[in-house]
Amino acid sequence: MVSLNRVFSSLLLLVGLVCALDDLTIYQNDGLTSGWENWSWNTETDFANSELYAGESGTSLAVKSSEWAALSLKGSATISDYAGLRFDIAGDQPGLQIYFTSTTDDTQSASIVLSDISDSITPTEFSTLLIDFKSLPGTGAPLGSGTWDRITFQALSSGASYHLDNVVLVGALVVEPKILSAEPIASNTVAVTTQGEVDAAAVRVFHNGRPVRVTSRTSYSPPDTPSKSITYLTLGSPLSQGNLAVVAGESSFNHTLPRAQSARLDLRRRREIDPHIYGVNWPKNANYIRTLGVTFSRWGGNAVTAYNPFEHFTNAGSDWFFENRGNEKSDDWIGWIHEAGSDAIMTVPALDWVAKDATSYSYPRSIYPEQERFNPYNPDSGNGRFPNGTNLSPPTDPNRAYTPWNTTQATTWLSQLKNKPKFATIDNEIEIAAHTHTDMHPEPMSYDEELDRVTRFALATKEALPDVKVLAPSPCSWWFYWTSAIGWSDTEAHNNTDFLPWFLQQMRDLEGQHGKRLLDYLDIHYYFQPDTSAEDAAAKALRLRMTRSLWDETYIDESWIGSDPQNHQPNPRVVSLIPRFKKMIQDIYPGTKLSVSEWSATNENDITGGLVAADALGIFGKYGLDAATYWATPNELGPTGLAYWLYRGYGTVFGSTSVEIEIPGFNPDILGVYAAIDDKRKFSVVIVNKNPSSAVSLSLAGLPPGRYFLRHFGGEAGIAKWQTTTTVSSTDYIVVPSYTAVFLLQR
């Protein structure tokens, strides 16, 4: 892509002045300026470090934060009155997220990952970075008008060491008029993304050196990411193989359009798509559900194991120092979820204890002075482990933080709900309770104990809610599909039968004993096992390949599973998640459905995470998954949230019946293609191009030409969401730019 500093004469004008305030310096030279205070935690700060500095200042602010610790600066100014934040930073590409908070009402802005501003920060030289409050890096969303008065640079899971200098709230910004990208899309359209006042009418299009007539222009500015606008140029002739140049002044964007891959829609091969595959955990509010089209909303996670439904307390478990806290009322939560148009999944606690209040914790320093870590906000509360990482012994008294819980109480609670959930999971990942909830269940969970707990609480749930659908046992990962926390000796004690096949067999037998199903959905959690944390080109390509583990019976997993699968199943080095468990269910307990109540795209802030999510949602529908909820709540303006918006945003949805697509020579590592029809036999197609540098072109036989609603995200301009209505003049050549997901819905 070529950045256009001068496209035509109108671009010489400076536009978009944000405000007229003077710049406000926060840090410069050797300290914070008047009115600013250091509110950091678990962080070493040197405000007059002379090892490295920007310009001629002589010193800089040296910062060293442990995991999730932060440099946090509190001032008296309202940050949103300013146009942006500018700072100099040096470090070895530190893992940081930046956010703003209000000490008045305890609210927090969206987090900005430092790598979304720059991924080339070095330890020996300072980089000057700018956060535009009208277009936050990563999403393009505005900061908003909160009473922000605190700036936090928070380290991620690996901690962070870096230097800052010249930290300034900028009083005014100038938006440089610029064309960010110009890309071919669909069959006869060029999408021109701009910032500032750019005259898109001056843009010209050439195909193989010959001018192409532009017959119409339609502009769209997303209401929640207004800094990026897009103009769709409808061409007088359809796109085809060759070179496409989009020219503005002396600069151009050039694309090589490849030969179209042949594809055919086969209406004879169809499968109903269950709408419950488009779910998330803990949606933010009703508007979030409507914006993304969330169909299934889960009250889940480690904390709900200790949820006290009568007093509305819970405990964070090992996620946060085994501390109790207040919680939303489950009845109210189900109510607003249903009103927003989503079905609710309620988690029923199945251990012996729930939180007794909102303030207690299990491992006080006064009783256990030697612990690995203590809460930086509550130095008396520890993490329940010795400095060497082993669990404290003897075990703590559960009465310190909890009150007893049993099936009778569960039935009472569920019976009294005014808002009845249609679905219920029996606890959450209780196979690892000895780790996540060691303060109430220090012993490893066996096959037999887990079955007993699921059975008793499923009976209690069905007694209170006879029509509810029960999901279980919700194991956390591939390893625990096949054995227990006790290990392979427990598997051997059960005739070397892996756990989930054994569990299905037991639940089938229990139906005969009780005269009713206690298990409606075999529920699992699935997280891709390969390590993609490097975030380099190889890691991103691997992330995009990993969706093959959801369906491909030839794909050997690129993780420890591929070399040491640790189970007794057929073809054990291949995950093939949906086909594998569909067959297992059919062989052992037919009629049971399959759900994945936790899954992840592994980095929902990166475009590849969004493409993984778009690919996965298409796979869920194509291969007949019955329900799924993402862990946890993707940002609605981030790449993963946009994958949901692509399929179902604002009530414009992908079809209800999957249609098979045949693509000779199909390469799933770079392409995902999904088609469906609705009850009016209108076609919808999602195409995911995983290639970071090249467009893909398809000849889609069976897809009728005509008017289509077009939606897409990604591409050279970064993350934003765009849509229009276009005419697909020919389905013989449909283009999707690099790193882009496209949705087409027949009108």
Side-chain angles (χ1 to χ4, degrees), residues 207-226:
H207 184 254
N208 292 332
R210 297 182 178 181
V212 179
R213 184 167 58 95
V214 175
T215 60
S216 66
R217 294 173 174 83
T218 303
S219 295
Y220 176 73
S221 182
D224 42 14
T225 52

Side-chain angles (χ1 to χ4, degrees), residues 274-280 289 293-297 341-344 628 648:
D274 195 307
H276 293 111
I277 62 174
Y278 306 103
V280 304
I289 287 173
V294 173
T295 56
F296 214 23
S297 300
S342 184
D343 283 336
R648 298 189 63 86

